Every structure is written in C-alpha cells, then in structure tokens.
C-alpha cells in the first residue's frame, strides 16, 4: 500500500493526520476525492499547518478498487454468474 507524506523540513511535528480512502470495494469516489486533494496540497503546501504531518493513503484496498473498476462497475448488488 502506497502513501503520500506531507510535512515541513524543520522536523517539528507535533501531530500526524492520516487520511485513507478506498477501504471498501465499489466506493470509487473516495479514491478520486483523495487524489484531487493530493493535487491541491502539492500546489498549495501552505494548506498543511507547520506543526502537522499529513499522510494520505489513496487506495487502502487495492483489490476492492480493482473490483470497482472491473466487470461489475455499475452493479449495486451482488451478482453471481452461474
């Protein structure tokens, strides 16, 4: 599982905030939102306070993400092929 870490160079971190998305399969909007937020923070690093380290895990469940973009993308119920 990959993560993105944002902090300031002085090393004076007093708190750590962890965001994770993609915990459950078929909840694809979380990954998209977190990727948008990462881009926003990269462009505006002052959004993260000086005493805070931010760790972002965009896809916490890679198998569930693969399932949600795969064959059953638009399925809202369990489908079993027999």
């Amino acid at each position: 599982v990959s993560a993105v870490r944002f902090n300031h160079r002085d090393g004076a971190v007093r708190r750590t905030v962890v965001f994770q998305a993609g915990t459950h399969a078929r909840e694809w909007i979380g990954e998209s939102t977190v990727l948008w937020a990462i881009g926003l923070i990269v462009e505006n690093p002052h959004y993260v306070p000086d005493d805070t380290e931010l760790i972002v895990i965009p896809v916490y469940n890679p198998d569930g993400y693969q399932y949600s973009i795969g064959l059953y993308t638009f399925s809202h119920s369990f489908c079993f092929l027999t």
Side-chain angles (χ1 to χ4, degrees):
V1 176
S2 299
V4 179
R5 181 177 163 196
F6 298 98
N7 64 0
H8 296 278
R9 297 178 192 260
D10 63 0
V13 174
R14 287 187 228 141
R15 64 179 154 210
T16 301
V17 178
V18 178
F19 285 103
Q20 69 181 30
T23 304
H24 303 113
R26 298 185 308 196
E27 295 178 356
W28 54 269
I29 195 67
E31 290 95 343
S32 299
T33 303
V34 166
L35 291 174
W36 171 80
I38 289 171
L40 187 68
I41 294 169
V42 166
E43 292 175 1
N44 303 291
H46 62 277
Y47 285 178
V48 179
D50 291 340
D51 63 344
T52 303
E53 176 181 41
L54 179 62
I55 300 173
V56 183
I57 304 169
V59 181
Y60 188 69
N61 178 6
D63 294 333
Y65 179 73
Q66 185 63 35
Y67 181 82
S68 69
I69 64 170
L71 179 62
Y72 304 109
T73 302
F74 298 106
S75 174
H76 295 288
S77 63
F78 292 104
C79 295
F80 297 99
L81 301 175
T82 56

